[in-house]
Amino acid sequence: MEEYNSGDELYLCVFQCIEGVIGGTDYNQSKVNQWTASIVEQSLAHLVKQGRPLKYMVNCTIMQKSGAGLHTANSCYWDTTTDGCCTVRWENRTMYCVVSVFVVALAL
Amino acid sequence: MSRVHTLHSIPVCVQSIEVTIGDNAYQQNRVNQWTTNVVEQSLSQLSKLGKPFKYIVTCVIMQKTGAGVQSASACFWDNTTDGNCSVTWENKSMYCIVSVFGLAI
């Protein structure tokens, strides 16, 4: 991706958003709706604040740990010199959280 | 844009899922290949439409065991030209959720 240091900067930003929302909590069916919404909104707000000419898509999935298998994949049709993505996988004792951020440059 | 893409993306995604997974039961050693095939086929069919858009396709496959799963997305883009659509599909042993994001060039 363009000079954007997506690797670490973006990963840390999203990781901190996840920790801030669900760090230290157990899976709770009545709250998980609020958690996913908060994680995507806070991540997006942090990214937009940077004021770069970019479009963002943030996707968050939270799954209860019960032995079930979960698999995710993504595929992108874009300009590989200017666009990119980053996926953060987080877990605690009771749940998995996977957040994907896609960054697309504005064609000027 | 959103309306056009909803019309075109849904059948593309459903077809990719049906062709890849169909009636198969969840199998841990095949699910990796399934998710890859679903996103690649969906993307290649969408790009063949020849519209001036960038696409992002994501696929989640989850085994049915009674576990809870929640997913959310937030997007910062141009509301007049960009849009997304999600397809949720299931058979007896698994759920498959495919999301397509389309951004105008």
Side-chain angles (χ1 to χ4, degrees), chain A residues 27 33 36 40 48 55-64 66 68-77 83 102, chain B residues 26 32 35 43 54-63 65 67-76 82 103:
Chain A
Y27 182 85
N33 196 5
T36 50
V40 293
V48 169
K55 295 181 178 179
Y56 300 98
M57 276 134 292
V58 183
N59 187 57
C60 170
T61 302
I62 292 180
M63 190 178 90
Q64 188 182 18
S66 66
L70 176 76
H71 216 96
T72 68
N74 62 63
S75 188
C76 310
Y77 181 71
D83 308 327
F102 301 93
Chain B
Y26 181 88
N32 194 8
T35 48
L43 196 62
K54 295 180 178 180
Y55 294 104
I56 294 159
V57 182
T58 67
C59 171
V60 178
I61 292 180
M62 191 179 90
Q63 189 179 15
T65 59
V69 71
Q70 181 80 22
S71 191
S73 290
C75 307
F76 180 72
D82 308 328
L103 299 104

mmCIF file of all heavy atoms in Angstrom, chain A residues 27 33 36 40 48 55-64 66 68-77 83 102, chain B residues 26 32 35 43 54-63 65 67-76 82 103:
data_model
loop_
_atom_site.group_PDB
_atom_site.id
_atom_site.type_symbol
_atom_site.label_atom_id
_atom_site.label_comp_id
_atom_site.label_asym_id
_atom_site.label_seq_id
_atom_site.Cartn_x
_atom_site.Cartn_y
_atom_site.Cartn_z
ATOM 1 N N TYR A 27 -18.189 -13.857 27.058
ATOM 2 C CA TYR A 27 -19.228 -13.799 26.028
ATOM 3 C C TYR A 27 -20.593 -13.637 26.690
ATOM 4 O O TYR A 27 -20.952 -14.370 27.614
ATOM 5 C CB TYR A 27 -19.222 -15.073 25.172
ATOM 6 C CG TYR A 27 -20.248 -15.037 24.066
ATOM 7 C CD1 TYR A 27 -19.964 -14.437 22.850
ATOM 8 C CD2 TYR A 27 -21.524 -15.578 24.248
ATOM 9 C CE1 TYR A 27 -20.905 -14.390 21.834
ATOM 10 C CE2 TYR A 27 -22.472 -15.524 23.235
ATOM 11 C CZ TYR A 27 -22.157 -14.929 22.035
ATOM 12 O OH TYR A 27 -23.088 -14.876 21.042
ATOM 13 N N ASN A 33 -24.207 -7.701 20.507
ATOM 14 C CA ASN A 33 -24.662 -6.778 19.468
ATOM 15 C C ASN A 33 -24.025 -5.404 19.675
ATOM 16 O O ASN A 33 -23.465 -4.801 18.754
ATOM 17 C CB ASN A 33 -26.193 -6.664 19.575
ATOM 18 C CG ASN A 33 -26.796 -6.071 18.336
ATOM 19 O OD1 ASN A 33 -26.097 -5.818 17.353
ATOM 20 N ND2 ASN A 33 -28.097 -5.853 18.359
ATOM 21 N N THR A 36 -20.025 -5.499 18.957
ATOM 22 C CA THR A 36 -19.570 -5.439 17.560
ATOM 23 C C THR A 36 -19.783 -4.029 17.011
ATOM 24 O O THR A 36 -18.923 -3.494 16.307
ATOM 25 C CB THR A 36 -20.288 -6.456 16.652
ATOM 26 O OG1 THR A 36 -21.705 -6.348 16.843
ATOM 27 C CG2 THR A 36 -19.845 -7.871 16.941
ATOM 28 N N VAL A 40 -16.626 -1.576 15.660
ATOM 29 C CA VAL A 40 -16.495 -1.030 14.300
ATOM 30 C C VAL A 40 -16.573 0.493 14.304
ATOM 31 O O VAL A 40 -15.839 1.169 13.581
ATOM 32 C CB VAL A 40 -17.519 -1.624 13.292
ATOM 33 C CG1 VAL A 40 -17.239 -3.089 13.065
ATOM 34 C CG2 VAL A 40 -18.961 -1.393 13.680
ATOM 35 N N VAL A 48 -10.732 7.642 10.567
ATOM 36 C CA VAL A 48 -11.196 8.838 9.875
ATOM 37 C C VAL A 48 -10.510 10.083 10.429
ATOM 38 O O VAL A 48 -10.191 11.015 9.682
ATOM 39 C CB VAL A 48 -12.735 8.955 9.984
ATOM 40 C CG1 VAL A 48 -13.223 10.299 9.513
ATOM 41 C CG2 VAL A 48 -13.391 7.845 9.197
ATOM 42 N N LYS A 55 -10.976 5.719 1.761
ATOM 43 C CA LYS A 55 -12.262 5.158 2.180
ATOM 44 C C LYS A 55 -11.949 3.948 3.050
ATOM 45 O O LYS A 55 -10.969 3.239 2.800
ATOM 46 C CB LYS A 55 -13.071 4.708 0.963
ATOM 47 C CG LYS A 55 -13.480 5.842 0.038
ATOM 48 C CD LYS A 55 -14.290 5.324 -1.139
ATOM 49 C CE LYS A 55 -14.741 6.462 -2.030
ATOM 50 N NZ LYS A 55 -15.524 5.993 -3.197
ATOM 51 N N TYR A 56 -12.787 3.704 4.056
ATOM 52 C CA TYR A 56 -12.528 2.597 4.962
ATOM 53 C C TYR A 56 -13.739 1.679 5.084
ATOM 54 O O TYR A 56 -14.878 2.126 5.042
ATOM 55 C CB TYR A 56 -12.232 3.118 6.381
ATOM 56 C CG TYR A 56 -11.040 4.031 6.480
ATOM 57 C CD1 TYR A 56 -11.214 5.412 6.500
ATOM 58 C CD2 TYR A 56 -9.759 3.525 6.574
ATOM 59 C CE1 TYR A 56 -10.127 6.259 6.609
ATOM 60 C CE2 TYR A 56 -8.655 4.371 6.687
ATOM 61 C CZ TYR A 56 -8.849 5.738 6.696
ATOM 62 O OH TYR A 56 -7.777 6.586 6.804
ATOM 63 N N MET A 57 -13.469 0.376 5.248
ATOM 64 C CA MET A 57 -14.527 -0.562 5.609
ATOM 65 C C MET A 57 -14.002 -1.380 6.769
ATOM 66 O O MET A 57 -12.940 -1.979 6.676
ATOM 67 C CB MET A 57 -14.852 -1.518 4.449
ATOM 68 C CG MET A 57 -15.803 -0.935 3.463
ATOM 69 S SD MET A 57 -15.236 -1.209 1.809
ATOM 70 C CE MET A 57 -13.807 -0.172 1.799
ATOM 71 N N VAL A 58 -14.738 -1.410 7.890
ATOM 72 C CA VAL A 58 -14.323 -2.174 9.062
ATOM 73 C C VAL A 58 -15.371 -3.235 9.320
ATOM 74 O O VAL A 58 -16.554 -2.941 9.416
ATOM 75 C CB VAL A 58 -14.189 -1.269 10.307
ATOM 76 C CG1 VAL A 58 -13.681 -2.088 11.480
ATOM 77 C CG2 VAL A 58 -13.270 -0.095 10.030
ATOM 78 N N ASN A 59 -14.944 -4.477 9.452
ATOM 79 C CA ASN A 59 -15.865 -5.580 9.693
ATOM 80 C C ASN A 59 -15.442 -6.308 10.959
ATOM 81 O O ASN A 59 -14.266 -6.617 11.119
ATOM 82 C CB ASN A 59 -15.816 -6.537 8.490
ATOM 83 C CG ASN A 59 -16.861 -7.593 8.587
ATOM 84 O OD1 ASN A 59 -18.033 -7.303 8.695
ATOM 85 N ND2 ASN A 59 -16.443 -8.845 8.586
ATOM 86 N N CYS A 60 -16.377 -6.566 11.872
ATOM 87 C CA CYS A 60 -16.041 -7.248 13.127
ATOM 88 C C CYS A 60 -16.944 -8.457 13.326
ATOM 89 O O CYS A 60 -18.164 -8.355 13.195
ATOM 90 C CB CYS A 60 -16.202 -6.286 14.305
ATOM 91 S SG CYS A 60 -16.099 -7.090 15.917
ATOM 92 N N THR A 61 -16.348 -9.598 13.655
ATOM 93 C CA THR A 61 -17.123 -10.814 13.937
ATOM 94 C C THR A 61 -16.722 -11.325 15.309
ATOM 95 O O THR A 61 -15.527 -11.456 15.600
ATOM 96 C CB THR A 61 -16.824 -11.906 12.889
ATOM 97 O OG1 THR A 61 -17.142 -11.405 11.594
ATOM 98 C CG2 THR A 61 -17.649 -13.154 13.154
ATOM 99 N N ILE A 62 -17.714 -11.576 16.162
ATOM 100 C CA ILE A 62 -17.443 -12.141 17.490
ATOM 101 C C ILE A 62 -18.134 -13.489 17.560
ATOM 102 O O ILE A 62 -19.320 -13.615 17.247
ATOM 103 C CB ILE A 62 -17.972 -11.221 18.618
ATOM 104 C CG1 ILE A 62 -17.161 -9.926 18.662
ATOM 105 C CG2 ILE A 62 -17.891 -11.933 19.976
ATOM 106 C CD1 ILE A 62 -17.604 -8.941 19.736
ATOM 107 N N MET A 63 -17.371 -14.520 17.950
ATOM 108 C CA MET A 63 -17.961 -15.849 18.062
ATOM 109 C C MET A 63 -17.659 -16.462 19.412
ATOM 110 O O MET A 63 -16.510 -16.445 19.869
ATOM 111 C CB MET A 63 -17.437 -16.778 16.969
ATOM 112 C CG MET A 63 -18.221 -18.070 16.933
ATOM 113 S SD MET A 63 -17.707 -19.193 15.650
ATOM 114 C CE MET A 63 -16.454 -20.121 16.499
ATOM 115 N N GLN A 64 -18.679 -17.044 20.007
ATOM 116 C CA GLN A 64 -18.552 -17.733 21.275
ATOM 117 C C GLN A 64 -17.682 -18.976 21.104
ATOM 118 O O GLN A 64 -17.771 -19.662 20.094
ATOM 119 C CB GLN A 64 -19.968 -18.143 21.689
ATOM 120 C CG GLN A 64 -20.131 -18.700 23.054
ATOM 121 C CD GLN A 64 -21.583 -19.104 23.289
ATOM 122 O OE1 GLN A 64 -22.358 -19.268 22.359
ATOM 123 N NE2 GLN A 64 -21.946 -19.231 24.534
ATOM 124 N N SER A 66 -17.148 -22.529 21.515
ATOM 125 C CA SER A 66 -17.915 -23.707 21.912
ATOM 126 C C SER A 66 -17.428 -24.930 21.150
ATOM 127 O O SER A 66 -18.100 -25.940 21.112
ATOM 128 C CB SER A 66 -19.395 -23.488 21.607
ATOM 129 O OG SER A 66 -19.549 -23.419 20.208
ATOM 130 N N ALA A 68 -17.053 -25.040 17.935
ATOM 131 C CA ALA A 68 -17.452 -24.972 16.523
ATOM 132 C C ALA A 68 -16.308 -24.437 15.685
ATOM 133 O O ALA A 68 -15.450 -23.721 16.180
ATOM 134 C CB ALA A 68 -18.662 -24.058 16.365
ATOM 135 N N GLY A 69 -16.273 -24.794 14.429
ATOM 136 C CA GLY A 69 -15.252 -24.289 13.522
ATOM 137 C C GLY A 69 -15.732 -23.012 12.868
ATOM 138 O O GLY A 69 -16.906 -22.872 12.544
ATOM 139 N N LEU A 70 -14.833 -22.053 12.707
ATOM 140 C CA LEU A 70 -15.165 -20.807 12.019
ATOM 141 C C LEU A 70 -14.056 -20.506 11.038
ATOM 142 O O LEU A 70 -12.880 -20.564 11.390
ATOM 143 C CB LEU A 70 -15.283 -19.644 13.020
ATOM 144 C CG LEU A 70 -15.541 -18.273 12.398
ATOM 145 C CD1 LEU A 70 -16.986 -18.146 11.946
ATOM 146 C CD2 LEU A 70 -15.245 -17.157 13.395
ATOM 147 N N HIS A 71 -14.419 -20.209 9.818
ATOM 148 C CA HIS A 71 -13.408 -19.908 8.811
ATOM 149 C C HIS A 71 -13.812 -18.651 8.052
ATOM 150 O O HIS A 71 -14.965 -18.488 7.690
ATOM 151 C CB HIS A 71 -13.282 -21.073 7.839
ATOM 152 C CG HIS A 71 -11.866 -21.272 7.409
ATOM 153 N ND1 HIS A 71 -11.026 -22.176 8.009
ATOM 154 C CD2 HIS A 71 -11.137 -20.648 6.473
ATOM 155 C CE1 HIS A 71 -9.838 -22.093 7.429
ATOM 156 N NE2 HIS A 71 -9.887 -21.191 6.494
ATOM 157 N N THR A 72 -12.858 -17.745 7.824
ATOM 158 C CA THR A 72 -13.174 -16.544 7.058
ATOM 159 C C THR A 72 -12.149 -16.365 5.947
ATOM 160 O O THR A 72 -10.997 -16.785 6.074
ATOM 161 C CB THR A 72 -13.162 -15.275 7.936
ATOM 162 O OG1 THR A 72 -11.816 -15.030 8.351
ATOM 163 C CG2 THR A 72 -14.019 -15.425 9.164
ATOM 164 N N ALA A 73 -12.576 -15.750 4.855
ATOM 165 C CA ALA A 73 -11.652 -15.457 3.754
ATOM 166 C C ALA A 73 -12.108 -14.161 3.123
ATOM 167 O O ALA A 73 -13.275 -13.797 3.211
ATOM 168 C CB ALA A 73 -11.680 -16.578 2.724
ATOM 169 N N ASN A 74 -11.195 -13.425 2.503
ATOM 170 C CA ASN A 74 -11.625 -12.280 1.722
ATOM 171 C C ASN A 74 -10.781 -12.133 0.469
ATOM 172 O O ASN A 74 -9.653 -12.619 0.404
ATOM 173 C CB ASN A 74 -11.635 -10.990 2.555
ATOM 174 C CG ASN A 74 -10.266 -10.629 3.072
ATOM 175 O OD1 ASN A 74 -9.355 -10.369 2.303
ATOM 176 N ND2 ASN A 74 -10.131 -10.591 4.371
ATOM 177 N N SER A 75 -11.380 -11.529 -0.523
ATOM 178 C CA SER A 75 -10.723 -11.384 -1.811
ATOM 179 C C SER A 75 -11.059 -9.988 -2.314
ATOM 180 O O SER A 75 -12.166 -9.505 -2.123
ATOM 181 C CB SER A 75 -11.283 -12.445 -2.756
ATOM 182 O OG SER A 75 -10.560 -12.477 -3.940
ATOM 183 N N CYS A 76 -10.088 -9.289 -2.917
ATOM 184 C CA CYS A 76 -10.316 -7.900 -3.277
ATOM 185 C C CYS A 76 -9.890 -7.602 -4.702
ATOM 186 O O CYS A 76 -8.837 -8.065 -5.148
ATOM 187 C CB CYS A 76 -9.536 -6.990 -2.326
ATOM 188 S SG CYS A 76 -9.846 -7.422 -0.598
ATOM 189 N N TYR A 77 -10.730 -6.823 -5.362
ATOM 190 C CA TYR A 77 -10.451 -6.413 -6.735
ATOM 191 C C TYR A 77 -10.230 -4.917 -6.683
ATOM 192 O O TYR A 77 -11.193 -4.133 -6.625
ATOM 193 C CB TYR A 77 -11.660 -6.762 -7.611
ATOM 194 C CG TYR A 77 -11.518 -6.419 -9.079
ATOM 195 C CD1 TYR A 77 -10.661 -7.139 -9.900
ATOM 196 C CD2 TYR A 77 -12.269 -5.398 -9.641
ATOM 197 C CE1 TYR A 77 -10.552 -6.840 -11.246
ATOM 198 C CE2 TYR A 77 -12.172 -5.097 -10.984
ATOM 199 C CZ TYR A 77 -11.304 -5.823 -11.788
ATOM 200 O OH TYR A 77 -11.214 -5.533 -13.120
ATOM 201 N N ASP A 83 -4.232 0.396 -2.390
ATOM 202 C CA ASP A 83 -5.238 -0.122 -1.465
ATOM 203 C C ASP A 83 -4.686 -1.281 -0.663
ATOM 204 O O ASP A 83 -3.726 -1.943 -1.075
ATOM 205 C CB ASP A 83 -6.473 -0.593 -2.250
ATOM 206 C CG ASP A 83 -6.988 0.459 -3.202
ATOM 207 O OD1 ASP A 83 -6.881 1.659 -2.877
ATOM 208 O OD2 ASP A 83 -7.493 0.108 -4.285
ATOM 209 N N PHE A 102 -10.449 -2.673 5.598
ATOM 210 C CA PHE A 102 -10.080 -2.520 4.196
ATOM 211 C C PHE A 102 -9.914 -1.036 3.933
ATOM 212 O O PHE A 102 -10.762 -0.240 4.313
ATOM 213 C CB PHE A 102 -11.170 -3.089 3.285
ATOM 214 C CG PHE A 102 -11.444 -4.545 3.527
ATOM 215 C CD1 PHE A 102 -12.444 -4.933 4.410
ATOM 216 C CD2 PHE A 102 -10.701 -5.525 2.894
ATOM 217 C CE1 PHE A 102 -12.701 -6.277 4.658
ATOM 218 C CE2 PHE A 102 -10.949 -6.871 3.132
ATOM 219 C CZ PHE A 102 -11.944 -7.241 4.019
ATOM 220 N N TYR B 26 -20.237 -29.971 6.833
ATOM 221 C CA TYR B 26 -19.053 -29.245 7.287
ATOM 222 C C TYR B 26 -17.896 -30.230 7.465
ATOM 223 O O TYR B 26 -18.023 -31.243 8.138
ATOM 224 C CB TYR B 26 -19.349 -28.545 8.620
ATOM 225 C CG TYR B 26 -18.174 -27.744 9.139
ATOM 226 C CD1 TYR B 26 -17.987 -26.417 8.751
ATOM 227 C CD2 TYR B 26 -17.238 -28.318 9.993
ATOM 228 C CE1 TYR B 26 -16.909 -25.683 9.202
ATOM 229 C CE2 TYR B 26 -16.153 -27.594 10.443
ATOM 230 C CZ TYR B 26 -15.989 -26.281 10.049
ATOM 231 O OH TYR B 26 -14.920 -25.554 10.504
ATOM 232 N N ASN B 32 -11.233 -24.576 4.392
ATOM 233 C CA ASN B 32 -10.263 -23.589 3.924
ATOM 234 C C ASN B 32 -10.421 -23.378 2.418
ATOM 235 O O ASN B 32 -10.499 -22.254 1.929
ATOM 236 C CB ASN B 32 -8.859 -24.123 4.233
ATOM 237 C CG ASN B 32 -7.812 -23.044 4.103
ATOM 238 O OD1 ASN B 32 -8.133 -21.874 3.922
ATOM 239 N ND2 ASN B 32 -6.553 -23.425 4.197
ATOM 240 N N THR B 35 -13.893 -21.539 1.496
ATOM 241 C CA THR B 35 -13.969 -20.084 1.645
ATOM 242 C C THR B 35 -13.171 -19.415 0.534
ATOM 243 O O THR B 35 -13.614 -18.415 -0.036
ATOM 244 C CB THR B 35 -13.430 -19.592 3.000
ATOM 245 O OG1 THR B 35 -12.161 -20.200 3.260
ATOM 246 C CG2 THR B 35 -14.376 -19.905 4.145
ATOM 247 N N LEU B 43 -15.764 -12.906 -6.792
ATOM 248 C CA LEU B 43 -15.007 -11.757 -7.281
ATOM 249 C C LEU B 43 -14.828 -11.817 -8.782
ATOM 250 O O LEU B 43 -14.969 -10.806 -9.481
ATOM 251 C CB LEU B 43 -13.644 -11.720 -6.595
ATOM 252 C CG LEU B 43 -12.889 -10.409 -6.704
ATOM 253 C CD1 LEU B 43 -13.668 -9.293 -6.051
ATOM 254 C CD2 LEU B 43 -11.526 -10.540 -6.056
ATOM 255 N N LYS B 54 -14.329 -0.944 -7.575
ATOM 256 C CA LYS B 54 -13.418 -1.821 -6.852
ATOM 257 C C LYS B 54 -14.310 -2.684 -5.963
ATOM 258 O O LYS B 54 -15.318 -2.196 -5.436
ATOM 259 C CB LYS B 54 -12.473 -1.007 -5.963
ATOM 260 C CG LYS B 54 -11.522 -0.115 -6.749
ATOM 261 C CD LYS B 54 -10.611 0.658 -5.791
ATOM 262 C CE LYS B 54 -9.630 1.515 -6.577
ATOM 263 N NZ LYS B 54 -8.732 2.281 -5.701
ATOM 264 N N TYR B 55 -13.946 -3.948 -5.758
ATOM 265 C CA TYR B 55 -14.762 -4.850 -4.951
ATOM 266 C C TYR B 55 -13.968 -5.480 -3.813
ATOM 267 O O TYR B 55 -12.777 -5.749 -3.958
ATOM 268 C CB TYR B 55 -15.288 -6.010 -5.808
ATOM 269 C CG TYR B 55 -16.255 -5.621 -6.887
ATOM 270 C CD1 TYR B 55 -15.848 -5.560 -8.214
ATOM 271 C CD2 TYR B 55 -17.585 -5.339 -6.583
ATOM 272 C CE1 TYR B 55 -16.743 -5.214 -9.217
ATOM 273 C CE2 TYR B 55 -18.476 -4.999 -7.583
ATOM 274 C CZ TYR B 55 -18.047 -4.934 -8.897
ATOM 275 O OH TYR B 55 -18.931 -4.588 -9.887
ATOM 276 N N ILE B 56 -14.669 -5.692 -2.710
ATOM 277 C CA ILE B 56 -14.097 -6.470 -1.608
ATOM 278 C C ILE B 56 -15.147 -7.526 -1.271
ATOM 279 O O ILE B 56 -16.304 -7.194 -1.016
ATOM 280 C CB ILE B 56 -13.813 -5.579 -0.385
ATOM 281 C CG1 ILE B 56 -12.712 -4.582 -0.738
ATOM 282 C CG2 ILE B 56 -13.409 -6.419 0.816
ATOM 283 C CD1 ILE B 56 -12.681 -3.378 0.151
ATOM 284 N N VAL B 57 -14.747 -8.788 -1.283
ATOM 285 C CA VAL B 57 -15.674 -9.880 -0.977
ATOM 286 C C VAL B 57 -15.142 -10.631 0.237
ATOM 287 O O VAL B 57 -13.982 -11.017 0.267
ATOM 288 C CB VAL B 57 -15.789 -10.870 -2.159
ATOM 289 C CG1 VAL B 57 -16.789 -11.969 -1.838
ATOM 290 C CG2 VAL B 57 -16.175 -10.144 -3.435
ATOM 291 N N THR B 58 -15.978 -10.818 1.253
ATOM 292 C CA THR B 58 -15.559 -11.609 2.407
ATOM 293 C C THR B 58 -16.522 -12.770 2.581
ATOM 294 O O THR B 58 -17.710 -12.660 2.275
ATOM 295 C CB THR B 58 -15.548 -10.789 3.721
ATOM 296 O OG1 THR B 58 -16.890 -10.446 4.054
ATOM 297 C CG2 THR B 58 -14.750 -9.511 3.588
ATOM 298 N N CYS B 59 -16.006 -13.872 3.083
ATOM 299 C CA CYS B 59 -16.834 -15.061 3.296
ATOM 300 C C CYS B 59 -16.528 -15.644 4.661
ATOM 301 O O CYS B 59 -15.358 -15.808 5.021
ATOM 302 C CB CYS B 59 -16.547 -16.096 2.203
ATOM 303 S SG CYS B 59 -17.313 -17.697 2.515
ATOM 304 N N VAL B 60 -17.566 -15.947 5.420
ATOM 305 C CA VAL B 60 -17.407 -16.591 6.721
ATOM 306 C C VAL B 60 -18.188 -17.895 6.688
ATOM 307 O O VAL B 60 -19.369 -17.905 6.325
ATOM 308 C CB VAL B 60 -17.956 -15.702 7.860
ATOM 309 C CG1 VAL B 60 -17.816 -16.406 9.190
ATOM 310 C CG2 VAL B 60 -17.238 -14.373 7.898
ATOM 311 N N ILE B 61 -17.541 -19.002 7.051
ATOM 312 C CA ILE B 61 -18.254 -20.282 7.156
ATOM 313 C C ILE B 61 -18.171 -20.726 8.599
ATOM 314 O O ILE B 61 -17.083 -20.759 9.185
ATOM 315 C CB ILE B 61 -17.632 -21.358 6.243
ATOM 316 C CG1 ILE B 61 -17.861 -20.982 4.772
ATOM 317 C CG2 ILE B 61 -18.255 -22.721 6.531
ATOM 318 C CD1 ILE B 61 -17.294 -21.977 3.784
ATOM 319 N N MET B 62 -19.324 -21.036 9.192
ATOM 320 C CA MET B 62 -19.344 -21.466 10.579
ATOM 321 C C MET B 62 -20.140 -22.745 10.732
ATOM 322 O O MET B 62 -21.260 -22.850 10.248
ATOM 323 C CB MET B 62 -19.925 -20.385 11.479
ATOM 324 C CG MET B 62 -19.692 -20.715 12.956
ATOM 325 S SD MET B 62 -20.327 -19.461 14.048
ATOM 326 C CE MET B 62 -21.965 -20.048 14.320
ATOM 327 N N GLN B 63 -19.552 -23.678 11.446
ATOM 328 C CA GLN B 63 -20.185 -24.970 11.727
ATOM 329 C C GLN B 63 -21.382 -24.742 12.651
ATOM 330 O O GLN B 63 -21.332 -23.916 13.562
ATOM 331 C CB GLN B 63 -19.146 -25.831 12.446
ATOM 332 C CG GLN B 63 -19.478 -27.261 12.653
ATOM 333 C CD GLN B 63 -18.343 -27.984 13.361
ATOM 334 O OE1 GLN B 63 -17.455 -27.369 13.925
ATOM 335 N NE2 GLN B 63 -18.382 -29.290 13.315
ATOM 336 N N THR B 65 -23.237 -25.546 15.666
ATOM 337 C CA THR B 65 -23.189 -26.314 16.911
ATOM 338 C C THR B 65 -23.949 -25.600 18.010
ATOM 339 O O THR B 65 -23.850 -25.954 19.180
ATOM 340 C CB THR B 65 -21.736 -26.480 17.416
ATOM 341 O OG1 THR B 65 -21.200 -25.181 17.628
ATOM 342 C CG2 THR B 65 -20.873 -27.251 16.457
ATOM 343 N N ALA B 67 -23.402 -22.425 18.808
ATOM 344 C CA ALA B 67 -22.651 -21.258 19.278
ATOM 345 C C ALA B 67 -23.273 -19.991 18.729
ATOM 346 O O ALA B 67 -23.919 -19.997 17.692
ATOM 347 C CB ALA B 67 -21.200 -21.352 18.824
ATOM 348 N N GLY B 68 -23.057 -18.894 19.439
ATOM 349 C CA GLY B 68 -23.559 -17.608 18.982
ATOM 350 C C GLY B 68 -22.479 -16.896 18.182
ATOM 351 O O GLY B 68 -21.296 -16.992 18.487
ATOM 352 N N VAL B 69 -22.884 -16.196 17.138
ATOM 353 C CA VAL B 69 -21.924 -15.386 16.385
ATOM 354 C C VAL B 69 -22.592 -14.078 15.988
ATOM 355 O O VAL B 69 -23.784 -14.027 15.702
ATOM 356 C CB VAL B 69 -21.401 -16.135 15.135
ATOM 357 C CG1 VAL B 69 -22.476 -16.251 14.079
ATOM 358 C CG2 VAL B 69 -20.186 -15.448 14.570
ATOM 359 N N GLN B 70 -21.845 -12.993 16.037
ATOM 360 C CA GLN B 70 -22.363 -11.674 15.709
ATOM 361 C C GLN B 70 -21.355 -10.988 14.804
ATOM 362 O O GLN B 70 -20.152 -11.092 15.023
ATOM 363 C CB GLN B 70 -22.549 -10.854 16.994
ATOM 364 C CG GLN B 70 -23.116 -9.472 16.800
ATOM 365 C CD GLN B 70 -24.616 -9.471 16.612
ATOM 366 O OE1 GLN B 70 -25.290 -10.403 16.998
ATOM 367 N NE2 GLN B 70 -25.136 -8.427 15.992
ATOM 368 N N SER B 71 -21.830 -10.286 13.792
ATOM 369 C CA SER B 71 -20.917 -9.597 12.896
ATOM 370 C C SER B 71 -21.448 -8.211 12.605
ATOM 371 O O SER B 71 -22.658 -8.022 12.494
ATOM 372 C CB SER B 71 -20.784 -10.405 11.597
ATOM 373 O OG SER B 71 -19.742 -9.918 10.818
ATOM 374 N N ALA B 72 -20.576 -7.202 12.516
ATOM 375 C CA ALA B 72 -21.001 -5.837 12.214
ATOM 376 C C ALA B 72 -19.985 -5.206 11.272
ATOM 377 O O ALA B 72 -18.824 -5.594 11.241
ATOM 378 C CB ALA B 72 -21.096 -5.015 13.501
ATOM 379 N N SER B 73 -20.433 -4.226 10.489
ATOM 380 C CA SER B 73 -19.524 -3.500 9.593
ATOM 381 C C SER B 73 -19.823 -2.021 9.656
ATOM 382 O O SER B 73 -20.980 -1.634 9.813
ATOM 383 C CB SER B 73 -19.731 -3.917 8.135
ATOM 384 O OG SER B 73 -19.303 -5.199 7.908
ATOM 385 N N ALA B 74 -18.773 -1.212 9.522
ATOM 386 C CA ALA B 74 -18.966 0.224 9.429
ATOM 387 C C ALA B 74 -18.117 0.705 8.257
ATOM 388 O O ALA B 74 -17.016 0.212 8.049
ATOM 389 C CB ALA B 74 -18.518 0.916 10.715
ATOM 390 N N CYS B 75 -18.633 1.629 7.480
ATOM 391 C CA CYS B 75 -17.902 2.064 6.293
ATOM 392 C C CYS B 75 -17.868 3.579 6.180
ATOM 393 O O CYS B 75 -18.874 4.241 6.449
ATOM 394 C CB CYS B 75 -18.543 1.493 5.030
ATOM 395 S SG CYS B 75 -18.753 -0.287 5.117
ATOM 396 N N PHE B 76 -16.703 4.069 5.767
ATOM 397 C CA PHE B 76 -16.525 5.504 5.548
ATOM 398 C C PHE B 76 -16.267 5.668 4.063
ATOM 399 O O PHE B 76 -15.183 5.378 3.580
ATOM 400 C CB PHE B 76 -15.322 5.998 6.372
ATOM 401 C CG PHE B 76 -15.059 7.472 6.216
ATOM 402 C CD1 PHE B 76 -15.907 8.409 6.780
ATOM 403 C CD2 PHE B 76 -13.945 7.906 5.512
ATOM 404 C CE1 PHE B 76 -15.656 9.762 6.638
ATOM 405 C CE2 PHE B 76 -13.685 9.265 5.369
ATOM 406 C CZ PHE B 76 -14.538 10.198 5.943
ATOM 407 N N ASP B 82 -21.154 4.370 -3.435
ATOM 408 C CA ASP B 82 -20.636 3.107 -2.906
ATOM 409 C C ASP B 82 -21.721 2.363 -2.140
ATOM 410 O O ASP B 82 -22.673 2.959 -1.651
ATOM 411 C CB ASP B 82 -19.453 3.367 -1.970
ATOM 412 C CG ASP B 82 -18.385 4.229 -2.613
ATOM 413 O OD1 ASP B 82 -18.225 4.132 -3.849
ATOM 414 O OD2 ASP B 82 -17.728 4.995 -1.897
ATOM 415 N N LEU B 103 -16.977 -0.126 -4.396
ATOM 416 C CA LEU B 103 -16.602 1.285 -4.313
ATOM 417 C C LEU B 103 -16.376 1.829 -5.710
ATOM 418 O O LEU B 103 -15.636 1.243 -6.496
ATOM 419 C CB LEU B 103 -15.321 1.452 -3.513
ATOM 420 C CG LEU B 103 -15.418 0.980 -2.082
ATOM 421 C CD1 LEU B 103 -14.725 -0.344 -1.908
ATOM 422 C CD2 LEU B 103 -14.845 2.011 -1.150
#
